[in-house]
Amino acid sequence: MASSRKHAEGSAAQGNLSVAGQNNVRSSTSGATEASDEPKLPVARDIDDLLDDGEERYTTSDDRRQVSFTSAVFLIFNRMVGTGIFATPATIVELSGSVGLSLFIWVIGMIIAGTGMMTYLEFGTGIPRNGGEKNYLEYVYRKPKFLITAMYAGYVVLLGWAGSNSVIFGEYILNAANVEVDRWNQRGVGLACITSAFLIHGLALKWGLRLQNLLGTIKLFILLLIIVSGFVALGGHLKVEKPNNFSNAFEGTTGSAYGIVTALYNVIWSYIGYSNANYALSETKNPVQTLKRAAPAALILVSILYMLTNIAYFAAVPKAEIISSGRIVAATFFRNMFGVRAERALSVFVALSAYGNVLSVIFSQGRLVQEVAREGILPFSRLWASNKPLNAPFMGLFEHWLVSVIIMLAPPPGDAYNFILNVISYPLSVINVFVSAGLIHLYLHPFSIHRSPQTWSPPVRATLPVVGFFLLSNIYLVIAPFVPPSDGQNVYESLPYYLHCVVGIGILLAGAVYWLFWAKLLPRLGGYELVRENKVGSDGWSNNVFVRRPIVKA
């Protein structure tokens, strides 16, 4: 305990990190830093330091900090504004039954996203390092040893987040080219999309960030164009008859729990990404201050744009036509406002928006794979944890590319996008239950000698009511999808309505099964125990290696 205090005092000398966060991240470089006049003192032990006999430190290098405030905002903006606002409104209107309820669901989703952003902002400023939820879960849920890491590893490794927007990229590109969309040409174009994103981020990191920022600017332009056009449509200037969707906004409202919660999932999918900068904090300049500014700025901007964009859709496209348009409601909007040629031309810009999202997703998810591998818990961990050949997580990006391609190609035609969307959103809701419950636990028990930092005192507080609302909303999102849908409300054409829930839970349990064999049964049968040792590689970044230590019987 005295040793922990000594380390914590030394850590406090680093001025560019939060009180809690500075105990977890140390720069390892010969160059000057923002606190170059301070002595280079050791930092406090990492969040798993008391699990083993050895001392563990999380170390990174300053030359890896390439994410600025602007890049952090666009990391979040690009992750949130992918295809959700262009592809999901039709599903949300169909499931809710009315224009009024669909807008209300968007407001609820915005509030949930806001509480989630505050929850992750507190954790991110308290533990400013790559890894996101993995760090937060490990900090709180320490027993049984390594279980939470293994379950989270299953979630990270087995889900292909980038697959859904790659599918939409293919659909919009083919629509722009006036080519009939079928199962294989859509996914073929999607495969080209995700492959190029993987190669750009794996081989040219700086150019990948620049391209993300450029595409983020294009997205902002598209949404502003839709919003301004929507105000014009409200004035009656359309190529078609004015739809008058607001004259009886709640006509057709459904009371189906399945319909409302599935619609809410679609909204939440559109807001997923408010925590995207949390996954790259070890690569962010002045991470605590950057995150405190970037996350709220991006979420407020996106929330305003989303609400005004939905109003614009309803101003220009009749409700029945929105429902029948499926995932190309934005293209239908452009056709009603500007004609057929504009529909095809602007579909290219929506496709570019999807591509920006794929770039942002694979950027963050590749780093999650790498961070899990640096814990030493995956087979061939050194391979997946590597930062070679060009100071980027090439193999982590490759793993996510591979899983995304499999998930993208496997589902039957018509169900691919909705299944991918839901199978990703559902386990995220489960994880958010544990993240928010963990933060509430820290409010009630801020001090523990078994944690590092021992006292939870981050520079940002979400507050108990905010975190409590986030917890309750995610509990609802975990339970409600098991309620059978009303006739005609199954979001799938040929799949069971509950399939994404079963698959999502199965992915989390797969990590638990792996833990049971790897951390319990095999050590018992082999007469050894797993000990995690911390090492610093040639790149100046620490990683963990599990060593089998024989158990000596008395």
PDB file of all heavy atoms in Angstrom, residues 26 119 190 341:
ATOM      1  N   ARG A  26       1.814   6.629 -19.156  1.00  0.00           N
ATOM      2  CA  ARG A  26       3.113   7.281 -19.059  1.00  0.00           C
ATOM      3  C   ARG A  26       3.702   7.396 -20.445  1.00  0.00           C
ATOM      4  O   ARG A  26       3.621   6.472 -21.246  1.00  0.00           O
ATOM      5  CB  ARG A  26       4.052   6.447 -18.162  1.00  0.00           C
ATOM      6  CG  ARG A  26       5.478   7.017 -18.100  1.00  0.00           C
ATOM      7  CD  ARG A  26       6.224   6.354 -16.955  1.00  0.00           C
ATOM      8  NE  ARG A  26       6.375   4.941 -17.168  1.00  0.00           N
ATOM      9  CZ  ARG A  26       7.472   4.383 -17.686  1.00  0.00           C
ATOM     10  NH1 ARG A  26       8.475   5.130 -18.089  1.00  0.00           N
ATOM     11  NH2 ARG A  26       7.555   3.075 -17.816  1.00  0.00           N
ATOM     12  N   THR A 119     -21.422   9.369 -19.429  1.00  0.00           N
ATOM     13  CA  THR A 119     -20.867   8.205 -18.727  1.00  0.00           C
ATOM     14  C   THR A 119     -19.480   7.864 -19.255  1.00  0.00           C
ATOM     15  O   THR A 119     -18.527   7.663 -18.490  1.00  0.00           O
ATOM     16  CB  THR A 119     -21.808   6.990 -18.885  1.00  0.00           C
ATOM     17  OG1 THR A 119     -23.093   7.310 -18.336  1.00  0.00           O
ATOM     18  CG2 THR A 119     -21.243   5.767 -18.197  1.00  0.00           C
ATOM     19  N   GLY A 190     -19.305  -3.392 -51.520  1.00  0.00           N
ATOM     20  CA  GLY A 190     -19.041  -3.238 -50.094  1.00  0.00           C
ATOM     21  C   GLY A 190     -17.698  -3.814 -49.693  1.00  0.00           C
ATOM     22  O   GLY A 190     -16.987  -3.254 -48.851  1.00  0.00           O
ATOM     23  N   ARG A 341     -32.106  13.047 -61.850  1.00  0.00           N
ATOM     24  CA  ARG A 341     -30.658  13.181 -61.995  1.00  0.00           C
ATOM     25  C   ARG A 341     -30.000  13.540 -60.665  1.00  0.00           C
ATOM     26  O   ARG A 341     -28.934  13.014 -60.320  1.00  0.00           O
ATOM     27  CB  ARG A 341     -30.332  14.253 -63.043  1.00  0.00           C
ATOM     28  CG  ARG A 341     -30.642  13.839 -64.476  1.00  0.00           C
ATOM     29  CD  ARG A 341     -30.153  14.889 -65.451  1.00  0.00           C
ATOM     30  NE  ARG A 341     -30.417  14.502 -66.830  1.00  0.00           N
ATOM     31  CZ  ARG A 341     -30.099  15.233 -67.889  1.00  0.00           C
ATOM     32  NH1 ARG A 341     -29.505  16.423 -67.716  1.00  0.00           N
ATOM     33  NH2 ARG A 341     -30.370  14.804 -69.112  1.00  0.00           N
TER      34      ARG A 341
END
